[in-house]
Amino acid sequence: MAASSSIRLLRNIVGELRHNANQIPVKDSLAYKYIFSQYQKNVMTSEKFCRAKEELTYLASTYLCLLRSVRLNKELGEKYHGKGERTLEQSANLVGLTLPKKTD
């Protein structure tokens, strides 16, 4: 795992944790502590190489994908959550259509 891509991946994960955090600081969350302990535990040095560096990169990128998907799902749920009965015009506007103007 290249150092720059590893750091970028870690920063993206922390950013998604911030988006998904519910009122508590991110640094106090168990997920944050676990992720940082895993990164520190598996850091590559000249004496010791991480055995499964591709596996760790894959796991980190998969976790990042999960966090992003959860956030986007939550945003979509809030955006399109039913708010009761809508008028025909509101329903058309929701999907990007406009109704023809009525002529009296």
Side-chain angles (χ1 to χ4, degrees), residues 33-87:
K33 291 176 183 178
Y34 177 77
I35 290 168
F36 264 90
S37 70
Q38 290 301 307
Y39 263 83
Q40 290 170 351
K41 179 179 168 184
N42 295 303
V43 69
M44 290 176 43
T45 62
S46 59
E47 298 89 28
K48 177 183 168 188
F49 289 98
C50 176
R51 290 184 184 170
K53 61 183 177 180
E54 290 86 15
E55 180 184 355
L56 292 174
T57 304
Y58 174 75
L59 286 174
S61 62
T62 303
Y63 188 62
L64 176 61
C65 180
L66 171 73
L67 290 173
R68 280 188 180 147
S69 298
V70 166
R71 178 179 52 88
L72 292 173
N73 184 30
K74 186 177 177 182
E75 288 175 5
L76 285 173
E78 290 172 358
K79 182 176 181 179
Y80 293 107
H81 178 69
K83 298 174 184 162
E85 264 323 288
R86 291 189 173 102
T87 65

Side-chain angles (χ1 to χ4, degrees), residues 1-44:
M1 168 169 24
S4 63
S5 66
S6 173
I7 291 171
R8 186 177 320 118
L9 191 58
L10 179 62
R11 285 181 180 165
N12 287 335
I13 290 173
V14 171
E16 288 298 324
L17 285 174
R18 281 195 180 102
H19 283 294
N20 293 329
N22 293 334
Q23 305 290 336
I24 61 169
V26 176
K27 289 188 177 186
D28 294 338
S29 71
L30 292 175
Y32 178 86
K33 291 176 183 178
Y34 177 77
I35 290 168
F36 264 90
S37 70
Q38 290 301 307
Y39 263 83
Q40 290 170 351
K41 179 179 168 184
N42 295 303
V43 69
M44 290 176 43

